[in-house]
Amino acid sequence: MSKACVVFLMDESSLLQQRMVESTKSKAEVICTAINSTLRQIAEGFPMDVALIGYHLSETGEPEVASRWGGVFSQRVWVSTEDLPQNPLSVEVRTKHVVDPVTKNVGEIPVDFPIWVEPRMSGGDLPRRKAFAYVADLLAQRVENTQLVAPPLVVSFLRDLTPADSVAEAAAVLGQVPSVWGFPILYQFHAGTNANVPAIKYPSSPQFLPPGAIQEMFYACSPLDEATRQLLLQNQEVPLPGAKGLVYNGRTIDLLRFMNTVKGYQKMAETMAANPAVSSGNGGEDSWDLGNSSDLPAFSPETDTELEEEVVAEAEMPKIPEGYTFCCQPLPENKPIRESETLGARDILVILLVDRSVSDLTYRPALDAWEKRANKTAFMLGELARRGRGRYDVSLIYYGEETSGTRVETDLLGEEFAADNSLVESAGKVETTTIQIPNGIGGLISLPRKKLWFAEANPTLRSDPVPAFGQIAEVIRLWNRKRPAKWLQPLVLHITGGDFQRNRMDEARRQLVSEDLPPVWLCHWIFTERPHVGVCCPSDPFFTEEELLKELWQWSDPLPGREILAGIRPGIHAESRGLMVNMNFDILFEVIDTMASRCHGLEG
């Protein structure tokens, strides 16, 4: 038997029949494809033994946890990677895209794709503790009968979790399987369901994970060893030192990169097997540091709560990556703003207030959330230009906390505000994108849309919103002087992740209350760093358990025109507020058109 081993632990509940986010295939199909691809790759490297374990409840309600090898391996639990190439269940012919090195054209060629494991799903959800107990017994026998050169690796694939579904509690049984190298390594992948929730990949602290069962998973995963971390870095992932082998709400591309953890383990095992002094487990100077995987069996709510508070307190300290340069400046390709040929009344002034704050400049999910904010800002500018047709004025304000203090940029359009019909020709960069909408008969149609870029900006530390709201007041005063004829009060759309200095928000809102200012509608468009379901204009703060979002709901004004839209737009109620979480804010234009039509009617 080989001196290194890997267990693939597969949840086979009916929930795995759901379509994988951003894929046309089910989660089970995508997971099996990733496993088969990985088996083919590791078969060419250092020999290891592999177990494929699936678990579910049978149709009669009986727990079933068993090996999923088929064909010539159907009576076995462990199979050596050396035996894999000659004994697949089947070989499919699939298409591979290749780039011609001369012409650079992309072509397709048929390739053989061996299959060792196929999707198997049942309607029953087996409690995970039974599956992990099975794996613990399996590994205990393995440790007893084999002198390992590395701790066993368990790779677990998970369905969606319920609040009472504690993976950490189930996995703690692995702590009863000690070897000379410590306890088994456990990496876990949760297949994504919600496209509006960003993936959280390889966290180094639990603070960005939703509380409860999902956050507990952080403690049930082992740290990445350095060989694996380097492989992930080569594949466009950026796990920090101390990162755990955990991906939550992952996409297909995230899964393919996650499987590098198995190749990293294989590389580590090969190196350790070639160095007897290292593999002796004598704890000498040449011993490998595999990270503190022993924190897994020691899981206890009391201890881990203390650890979480310690990590969160440390994360609140500003961290600026080495060599990081703050940037917020107009694109040099911006053209001068052309005053609209129509100098008549405007329906409204829309102010896009873009918060550059993130919780941590060194954490990938925080940076991903900022990128989404920036992209959605460019998309909203394109929609304002497309839908306005000379009816809107638009202002764009960025604010962030740089090393020199709070920085507010208001003249990124060359002016404090500009007419919507001058935006496209003035933008420094125009991107064309495609959206899909229902066609009314069960299908989808694709429509072209534009993203308008006027600025280059990157994220900052947690920002003070007071100066930015003070600048909003100045823009509104100037708009009142330049646009004496207008229909609606200004609307501020605060595009944020909620990580600004919220203790300053009351003072910030007071900047918009003055005798020389009209009433202002304040709405929030939020893209969270931690996973959260999409929410559209909730009517009470009980739509979430996140205190951050509850605060932002309190600071959002009632949605204009909600009384009218409540009978037309699903999900809108008479008490709805102007707050959108992880969704497109397309209802904004229905609000403007509804209110403007009412005002035009009164004027007529």
Side-chain angles (χ1 to χ4, degrees):
M1 298 179 75
S2 300
K3 296 183 179 181
C5 60
V6 179
V7 178
F8 292 106
L9 183 59
M10 300 172 290
D11 189 329
E12 297 171 337
S13 70
S14 59
L15 288 176
L16 273 296
Q17 294 176 347
Q18 295 174 334
R19 184 175 61 84
M20 186 86 160
V21 172
E22 300 175 1
S23 174
T24 58
K25 297 183 178 180
S26 71
K27 294 180 182 181
E29 291 175 304
V30 174
I31 289 171
C32 285
T33 295
I35 293 175
N36 285 317
S37 178
T38 301
L39 291 175
R40 180 181 60 174
Q41 295 175 54
I42 64 176
E44 302 172 357
F46 177 74
M48 302 189 299
D49 283 347
V50 180
L52 300 176
I53 307 299
Y55 63 96
H56 64 262
L57 281 179
S58 68
E59 294 181 359
T60 59
E62 296 297 320
E64 181 179 337
V65 187
S67 173
R68 290 295 177 248
W69 291 112
V72 298
F73 303 138
S74 58
Q75 302 301 314
R76 295 167 61 177
V77 174
W78 295 105
V79 172
S80 173
T81 53
E82 295 177 304
D83 297 333
L84 290 176
Q86 296 77 31
N87 299 286
L89 277 176
S90 61
V91 178
E92 296 182 0
V93 177
R94 299 191 178 184
T95 300
K96 180 179 181 180
H97 293 86
V98 295
V99 179
D100 189 297
V102 178
T103 64
K104 306 300 181 183
N105 293 328
V106 178
E108 296 182 349
I109 60 172
V111 294
D112 291 338
F113 189 81
I115 304 294
W116 290 277
V117 59
E118 296 177 329
R120 182 185 303 197
M121 289 168 286
S122 174
D125 300 337
L126 179 68
R128 288 190 181 84
R129 63 180 181 275
K130 295 184 179 295
F132 277 100
Y134 180 95
V135 172
D137 290 341
L138 193 68
L139 293 179
Q141 297 174 24
R142 177 77 186 191
V143 169
E144 182 178 352
N145 298 325
T146 308
Q147 184 179 355
L148 299 177
V149 299
L153 171 65
V154 179
V155 182
S156 174
F157 302 93
L158 303 173
R159 64 178 184 265
D160 289 342
L161 306 180
T162 64
D165 201 357
S166 177
V167 179
E169 183 179 351
V173 69
L174 295 181
Q176 301 172 13
V177 192
S179 68
V180 294
W181 292 108
F183 301 98
I185 298 171
L186 175 60
Y187 297 150
Q188 306 205 64
F189 184 92
H190 170 265
T193 301
N194 192 335
N196 291 319
V197 177
I200 292 182
K201 298 176 283 187
Y202 316 107
S204 56
S205 75
Q207 70 177 99
F208 297 106
L209 291 164
I214 297 171
Q215 196 171 77
E216 286 181 11
M217 277 202 304
F218 176 85
Y219 302 106
C221 294
S222 302
L224 298 172
D225 64 86
E226 189 57 28
T228 301
R229 187 170 167 272
Q230 290 300 322
L231 273 177
L232 291 169
L233 285 169
Q234 295 171 20
N235 284 270
Q236 303 178 34
E237 298 291 355
V238 191
L240 299 173
K244 293 292 190 80
L246 168 64
V247 174
Y248 174 73
N249 205 55
R251 277 62 170 162
T252 301
I253 185 62
D254 301 324
L255 175 57
L256 297 178
R257 293 173 180 171
F258 172 82
M259 298 305 282
N260 281 302
T261 58
V262 181
K263 290 185 282 185
Y265 171 82
Q266 184 180 43
K267 182 178 179 181
M268 180 188 72
E270 180 179 15
T271 304
M272 296 170 74
N275 293 273
V278 173
S279 61
S280 64
N282 57 15
E285 293 181 359
D286 293 329
S287 294
W288 279 70
D289 178 10
L290 300 178
N292 184 23
S293 59
S294 61
D295 64 354
L296 174 59
F299 174 83
S300 71
E302 183 177 354
T303 302
D304 291 332
T305 299
E306 294 172 359
L307 174 62
E308 179 184 348
E309 291 173 352
E310 178 182 333
V311 172
V312 171
E314 180 182 348
E316 289 175 352
M317 299 174 61
K319 296 178 182 178
I320 303 176
E322 184 178 352
Y324 190 86
T325 302
F326 293 105
C327 171
C328 185
Q329 57 191 17
L331 295 177
E333 297 82 6
N334 287 343
K335 293 83 174 175
I337 292 293
R338 176 184 61 81
E339 178 61 54
S340 173
E341 297 177 0
T342 304
L343 300 178
R346 293 283 186 263
D347 282 355
I348 195 170
L349 168 66
V350 178
I351 301 175
L352 303 185
L353 178 62
V354 185
D355 173 21
R356 296 165 59 200
S357 306
V358 296
S359 62
D360 189 338
L361 290 170
T362 64
Y363 192 58
R364 174 55 57 185
L367 303 182
D368 289 344
W370 158 251
E371 290 294 331
K372 180 164 285 189
R373 267 182 274 160
N375 273 283
K376 293 298 184 180
T377 299
F379 180 81
M380 180 58 75
L381 286 166
E383 289 297 278
L384 287 166
R386 183 178 72 87
R387 302 191 189 213
R389 299 182 299 279
R391 297 183 298 134
Y392 311 153
D393 279 326
V394 181
S395 181
L396 178 61
I397 301 175
Y398 285 81
Y399 75 100
E401 191 79 9
E402 302 183 359
T403 51
S404 57
T406 301
R407 178 177 175 184
V408 180
E409 293 289 346
T410 355
D411 59 346
L412 297 174
L413 298 173
E415 300 287 345
E416 284 77 3
F417 60 86
D420 54 58
N421 54 7
S422 67
L423 295 179
V424 175
E425 65 183 31
S426 300
K429 182 171 68 172
V430 179
E431 292 182 6
T432 300
T433 186
T434 301
I435 64 170
Q436 291 187 320
I437 62 173
N439 62 3
I441 56 173
L444 296 173
I445 57 175
S446 297
L447 298 176
R449 291 292 185 266
K450 287 184 172 64
K451 292 182 180 179
L452 307 184
W453 297 89
F454 290 88
E456 178 186 7
N458 61 6
T460 72
L461 309 173
R462 287 188 172 95
S463 311
D464 182 356
V466 174
F469 276 72
Q471 190 59 43
I472 290 173
E474 293 304 315
V475 170
I476 293 173
R477 290 187 179 98
L478 179 63
W479 186 66
N480 276 338
R481 293 196 298 270
K482 286 191 173 184
R483 298 288 189 214
K486 44 193 173 286
W487 294 101
L488 301 175
Q489 62 196 59
L491 185 146
V492 177
L493 184 57
H494 190 192
I495 305 172
T496 179
D499 280 298
F500 57 90
Q501 297 175 24
R502 297 193 301 280
N503 62 326
R504 298 278 287 158
M505 190 58 176
D506 289 334
E507 176 64 24
R509 295 177 69 209
R510 280 195 287 270
Q511 306 301 307
L512 304 182
V513 180
S514 175
E515 292 182 356
D516 63 339
L517 291 175
V520 177
W521 286 319
L522 176 60
C523 300
H524 286 93
W525 195 10
I526 307 162
F527 296 97
T528 59
E529 294 179 5
R530 294 162 52 134
H532 196 282
V533 297
V535 179
C536 174
C537 303
S539 55
D540 59 58
F542 304 111
F543 69 94
T544 182
E545 295 181 357
E546 297 285 343
E547 292 301 320
L548 178 153
L549 296 179
K550 290 181 180 179
E551 288 183 61
L552 291 169
W553 182 87
Q554 295 287 352
W555 292 324
S556 300
D557 289 328
L559 185 71
R562 61 199 178 281
E563 302 90 347
I564 301 173
L565 293 172
I568 303 172
R569 179 72 180 252
I572 302 300
H573 307 282
E575 297 80 21
S576 290
R577 295 210 179 185
L579 179 141
M580 193 74 69
V581 181
N582 294 331
M583 296 178 67
N584 284 336
F585 213 143
D586 54 346
I587 195 173
L588 174 72
F589 300 99
E590 294 181 50
V591 166
I592 295 174
D593 291 344
T594 297
M595 298 305 294
S597 297
R598 174 187 288 183
C599 291
H600 290 320
L602 293 175
E603 181 71 14

